[in-house]
Amino acid sequence: PGKKVLIVYAHQEPKSFNGSLLKIAVEELSKQGCSVTVSDLYAMHFEPRATRNDIVGHLHNSEAFNYGVETWEAYKRGGLSKDLIEEQKKVQEADLLIFQFPLFWFNMPAILKGWMDRVLVQGFAYDLSKAYDGGLLQGKLSLFSFTTGGSQEMYSKEAISGDIRYILWPMQHGIMHFCGVKVLEPHICYAPENVSEEKRKEMLTAWTQRLKTLWKEEPIDCSPDWYFK
């Protein structure tokens, strides 16, 4: 109770299966007394491109534009654009970050990747000497909840797509763990478009059930072994 949750949601259609998963998370977590904030990226027309527009005022080096350096300098002087400051504030306040999206090309949709690229700047989420277990967003949990087009059988070590955990490495390890955030077991709904209505209902029920005991869960072991062994 009293926990703060930020759900970063990347789907265009509220009536989609991802939309249903979002709705369940908001309802279930609110029922537990959590305060839930949703960043609905498509509805917000969130800008995924990392550009000069993310810096308000003067540039650190106007001769050659270096996004990483410029956003770091801007962050230190409070000179990031308003939309980034708002998202960073939501992240800062959250105990748990849930990312809800459909898997596109073994990855998150561009709009969500753009959120990661723009929001998690140096100085805010990490520093060169403060990464992984020393990342600046320590004390937070994250959970990747997503749908796939392919069936569960397609995502095993021996199958054509390889282990689903290989796909999670850049997201969970390369972004969240890098920023010091602990990672809960992912929540994966395989091929909701290709299963029966009954199976879809089961998937939604399983998500509801999991959310009921979410705060008792232990984070995964954030090591290459979890992904590749």
Side-chain angles (χ1 to χ4, degrees):
K3 298 269 195 196
K4 293 196 164 152
V5 182
L6 170 62
I7 305 177
V8 187
Y9 168 71
H11 198 290
Q12 309 88 332
E13 175 52 66
K15 296 197 284 282
S16 64
F17 193 78
N18 273 274
S20 300
L21 291 165
L22 169 70
K23 198 159 164 280
I24 285 170
V26 172
E27 284 171 7
E28 185 53 46
L29 292 165
S30 301
K31 219 185 283 179
Q32 295 174 18
C34 300
S35 72
V36 184
T37 304
V38 178
S39 284
D40 182 341
L41 301 183
Y42 286 102
M44 291 156 68
H45 300 289
F46 186 81
E47 168 61 84
R49 295 169 299 179
T51 68
R52 160 77 179 86
N53 297 338
D54 293 348
I55 294 101
V56 176
H58 69 275
L59 288 177
H60 181 66
N61 175 3
S62 51
E63 296 302 304
F65 184 72
N66 178 322
Y67 186 82
V69 170
E70 293 298 342
T71 47
W72 186 25
E73 292 296 334
Y75 175 75
K76 287 190 284 194
R77 64 178 166 81
L80 287 173
S81 61
K82 188 165 151 288
D83 60 338
L84 294 193
I85 290 170
E86 281 171 12
E87 292 306 298
Q88 287 177 344
K89 189 163 181 286
K90 294 176 195 174
V91 171
Q92 197 78 62
E93 290 175 354
D95 299 298
L96 168 66
L97 308 168
I98 296 178
F99 300 99
Q100 181 63 59
F101 59 96
L103 200 65
F104 284 2
W105 295 118
F106 278 25
N107 214 320
M108 58 185 91
I111 199 165
L112 177 54
K113 178 58 166 60
W115 185 93
M116 304 280 183
D117 292 351
R118 294 180 62 225
V119 175
L120 303 175
V121 303
Q122 186 171 351
F124 169 69
Y126 70 94
D127 228 319
L128 294 182
S129 61
K130 298 186 181 77
Y132 291 112
D133 292 338
L136 299 176
L137 299 180
Q138 287 169 63
K140 299 182 188 303
L141 290 169
S142 62
L143 193 166
F144 285 82
S145 170
F146 60 95
T147 57
T148 66
S151 66
Q152 188 162 3
E153 295 71 46
M154 288 168 74
Y155 287 104
S156 67
K157 269 200 175 72
E158 297 71 35
I160 186 77
S161 298
D163 195 326
I164 193 76
R165 290 185 175 195
Y166 304 157
I167 292 167
L168 288 159
W169 170 254
M171 303 183 206
Q172 293 186 164
H173 188 78
I175 303 176
M176 285 297 114
H177 185 202
F178 188 84
C179 296
V181 180
K182 294 226 180 323
V183 180
L184 294 173
E185 195 76 44
H187 198 86
I188 308 165
C189 291
Y190 290 96
E193 284 191 8
N194 305 331
V195 299
S196 66
E197 189 54 40
E198 194 183 342
K199 187 82 184 99
R200 276 199 288 274
K201 285 203 177 95
E202 280 172 25
M203 288 179 180
L204 295 175
T205 306
W207 180 225
T208 310
Q209 289 309 116
R210 179 171 179 195
L211 290 162
K212 288 186 193 304
T213 55
L214 196 65
W215 301 104
K216 296 194 176 87
E217 290 187 19
E218 285 297 317
I220 65 163
D221 157 38
C222 276
S223 71
D225 279 6
W226 188 89
Y227 299 89
F228 302 111
K229 274 288 186 290

